[in-house]
């Protein structure tokens, strides 16, 4: 269960991410939205890990994007290979102050400035097993519906067709 910040009544922000990580996330989300992906941040996975961003493409392909904001952030985090079990493509997203050559070639790469992003490298495909795909898709769907309900409740009024 996500721990919500007591200083923020927005259920979509949990307060664990740095300002720089939120900047990278925002720009990457903008690009993914333009690519017609449904995007969820901070989705807990069956392995107990949490994906920084997970997307569902129009074709049903699942991507996970791991956000890294510094060399140190990348070097201390060795859990990212486990994300491959939960997606069809694995990416990193970062910003201009992080050297791009630290990121492994077997993953895709996004460069974000907070207002948008560029895909610098496509991620190779490694298709999930059908049972895993069903589990991840169900988890994605349930989390999205729950967050929409929480956002509606925090707003104090029901969403209308005009809001979407």
């Amino acid at each position: 269960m996500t721990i919500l910040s007591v200083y923020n009544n927005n259920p979509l922000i949990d307060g664990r991410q740095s300002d720089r990580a939120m900047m990278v996330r925002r720009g990457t989300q903008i690009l993914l939205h333009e690519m017609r992906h449904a995007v969820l941040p901070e989705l807990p996975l069956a392995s107990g890990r949490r994906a920084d961003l997970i997307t569902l493409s129009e074709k049903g392909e699942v991507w996970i994007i791991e956000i890294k904001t510094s060399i140190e952030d990348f070097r201390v985090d060795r859990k990212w290979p486990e994300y491959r079990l939960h997606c069809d493509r694995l990416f990193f997203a970062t910003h201009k102050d992080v050297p791009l050559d630290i990121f492994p070639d077997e993953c895709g790469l996004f460069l974000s400035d907070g207002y948008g992003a560029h895909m610098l490298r496509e991620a190779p495909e490694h298709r999930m097993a059908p049972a895993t795909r069903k589990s991840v898709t169900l988890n994605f769907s349930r989390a999205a519906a729950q967050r929409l309900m929480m956002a509606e409740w925090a707003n104090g009024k029901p969403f209308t067709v005009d809001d979407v």
Side-chain angles (χ1 to χ4, degrees), residues 18-155:
S18 69
D19 288 343
R20 186 155 289 188
M22 291 300 291
M23 180 270 300
V24 171
R25 180 171 117 179
R26 186 175 45 255
T28 305
Q29 285 175 305
I30 290 168
L31 174 64
L32 291 165
H33 175 74
E34 290 169 356
M35 295 172 69
R36 303 182 56 87
H37 281 242
V39 183
L40 276 180
E42 304 298 331
L43 184 70
L45 303 171
S47 65
R49 300 291 185 202
R50 191 179 68 249
D52 291 337
L53 289 173
I54 187 165
T55 79
L56 188 60
S57 76
E58 288 184 302
K59 296 178 183 177
E61 196 171 67
V62 176
W63 294 4
I64 289 180
I65 299 92
E66 179 69 1
I67 296 170
K68 295 298 171 204
T69 58
S70 67
I71 296 171
E72 173 98 4
D73 184 16
F74 177 75
R75 289 197 175 138
V76 299
D77 179 8
R78 291 294 161 213
K79 67 185 183 300
W80 63 264
E82 297 175 31
Y83 293 138
R84 286 195 190 282
L85 301 174
H86 306 281
C87 64
D88 296 308
R89 296 180 191 268
L90 179 60
F91 292 83
F92 284 98
T94 194
H95 58 88
K96 66 177 179 60
D97 296 329
V98 179
L100 301 178
D101 61 353
I102 67 170
F103 298 104
D105 290 335
E106 66 267 17
C107 296
L109 185 60
F110 291 102
L111 183 63
S112 172
D113 65 5
Y115 299 100
H118 294 283
M119 183 188 298
L120 300 178
R121 182 172 57 234
E122 180 76 47
E125 183 182 59
H126 48 273
R127 305 280 299 167
M128 288 183 286
T132 303
R133 178 174 310 286
K134 179 179 178 181
S135 174
V136 169
T137 304
L138 182 60
N139 185 26
F140 185 101
S141 302
R142 291 180 53 79
Q146 184 71 22
R147 290 178 189 181
L148 181 60
M149 182 182 68
M150 296 301 289
E152 183 176 338
W153 288 356
N155 186 32

